[in-house]
Amino acid sequence: MHGYQVIQELESSTDGRWRPSAGSVYPTLQLLEDEGLVTSEEVDGRRTYSLTDAGRQAAGDLPLQRRFGPDTDAGAETLDVRKLAMHLIAAAVQVKRMGSPEANRAAREILTDSRKKLYRLLAEDKDADGT
């Protein structure tokens, strides 16, 4: 599919409850391509995306109700830190592209604070033997 078809499919799959913008779909497709879950190519002047074998496996591993449902605390626990970081990057890119100057300033503060908290967490982390 090309990006617009992805938007239409997501809207259809969620019974119209969610229609993502191009500004969120295309960066997400790029992230998925970077992770090797999709490939892209030019077809009739449009960039089209296809799932790789790894992408089909990842999609198949996700329970149907979680594919388009809200995140729950239990669901968030199943995501590893790297995937959560990729989601954070996608959100930051969206704010950068679409957000007001005030939103960009707030996003910088949030990201800076989050980075500091992660390093603080690492500094306080203890090995299994308590050291």
Side-chain angles (χ1 to χ4, degrees):
M1 289 187 248
H2 55 74
Y4 182 68
Q5 289 172 314
V6 171
I7 292 169
Q8 290 176 317
E9 181 64 27
L10 289 169
E11 182 178 28
S12 174
S13 297
T14 61
D15 296 324
R17 291 186 307 270
W18 182 43
R19 180 178 173 82
S21 69
S24 64
V25 168
Y26 287 102
T28 301
L29 287 169
Q30 182 61 55
L31 289 171
L32 292 171
E33 189 168 21
D34 292 346
E35 291 184 8
L37 299 174
V38 301
T39 59
S40 67
E41 64 179 318
E42 286 287 325
V43 175
D44 296 329
R46 291 183 169 216
R47 177 137 318 267
T48 61
Y49 298 86
S50 301
L51 285 171
T52 63
D53 289 339
R56 277 188 280 287
Q57 176 68 39
D61 290 346
L62 190 59
L64 186 57
Q65 72 265 18
R66 290 274 301 129
R67 290 183 188 174
F68 300 109
D71 284 339
T72 62
D73 289 338
E77 289 174 10
T78 64
L79 291 175
D80 68 19
V81 172
R82 183 175 158 271
K83 286 183 182 179
L84 289 169
M86 296 301 282
H87 291 207
L88 178 63
I89 290 168
V93 168
Q94 180 85 357
V95 171
K96 175 65 178 158
R97 290 184 179 171
M98 308 292 285
S100 66
E102 294 82 19
N104 274 271
R105 180 196 52 73
R108 282 191 304 273
E109 288 179 18
I110 290 167
L111 292 170
T112 299
D113 185 53
S114 296
R115 179 181 48 83
K116 289 176 183 177
K117 286 181 177 180
L118 287 170
Y119 278 122
R120 198 173 304 123
L121 174 68
L122 188 59
E124 295 170 0
D125 194 20
K126 293 182 175 27
D127 289 335
D129 64 2
T131 60

